[in-house]
Amino acid sequence: MSVNFAAIKTRPARDLETEYWADADKLFEGRRLTTGKIELMNEWRCAHYAFDDIATDFVIDRKRYTVIFKGPRGEACAGGLRRAITDHLVEIYEKTGDTDIFQSFRMPVLVTGTWKPRHWRDSRGVWRRTHELIAAAWSYTDPQTGQHVEEGRLPRL
């Protein structure tokens, strides 16, 4: 018995990187991307143990907003931006011994992302509304090396 190898149908090769980012890109479907410069504060919160959702705060006109790095962007943030800020602050603290640097530190970051409304009840039961910035790509100057760093990825929609 002979096998006709030309007749065997093979599956197309999978692009693992595209599949990896595909779910994260769904966050941006139907939303307009905006780019702006923000100053991140040193207050990080992780929503999951694997550090795939990272949130931090920034202030515009005395109003506090949250920027969220979700999925693979959270992993990129944990290994890049978050580590750069933490290493820089630890280095300053070791030199000066000043703990106020952790509260007063602000890092300028150019972020491309989309705004998402958020609704919640406060402690008095009143519904509140604010917006969160979902980050797609960001760039900054590494405070230790002075090099320009670009992280994240613009969504493919």
Side-chain angles (χ1 to χ4, degrees), residues 6 13 21 54 59 62 92 98 105 109 116 120 135 139 141 155:
W21 288 90
I54 296 178
V59 176
R62 296 187 309 183
I92 291 174
D98 183 17
F105 181 77
V109 178
K116 179 187 111 183
W120 79 97
S139 62
T141 302

Side-chain angles (χ1 to χ4, degrees), residues 117-132:
R118 178 177 172 244
H119 305 274
W120 79 97
R121 279 187 201 242
D122 66 8
S123 60
R124 294 177 287 157
V126 177
W127 280 101
R128 302 286 182 181
R129 179 180 179 187
T130 189
H131 286 82
E132 298 172 331

Side-chain angles (χ1 to χ4, degrees), residues 35-107:
T35 301
K37 193 173 206 173
I38 62 173
E39 289 189 335
L40 290 183
M41 302 163 64
N42 184 37
E43 296 182 13
W44 299 94
R45 296 179 304 282
C46 296
H48 297 290
Y49 295 112
F51 297 104
D52 62 345
D53 292 358
I54 296 178
T56 187
D57 293 336
F58 64 99
V59 176
I60 300 175
D61 296 331
R62 296 187 309 183
K63 286 189 175 183
R64 192 174 183 138
Y65 295 94
T66 301
V67 60
I68 298 176
F69 304 88
K70 290 191 70 65
R73 291 172 176 92
E75 294 174 18
C77 178
L81 177 62
R82 183 175 179 184
R83 183 178 305 261
I85 290 174
T86 304
D87 291 348
H88 179 65
L89 290 175
V90 167
E91 183 180 317
I92 291 174
Y93 175 71
E94 288 175 350
K95 287 181 182 175
T96 64
D98 183 17
T99 58
D100 291 337
I101 189 67
F102 294 101
Q103 268 61 38
S104 62
F105 181 77
R106 305 282 187 271
M107 182 164 176

Side-chain angles (χ1 to χ4, degrees), residues 21-31 73 155-157:
W21 288 90
D23 286 341
D25 287 349
K26 290 179 184 175
L27 291 169
F28 302 97
E29 286 181 357
R31 297 182 186 266
R73 291 172 176 92
R156 295 181 185 158
L157 302 175

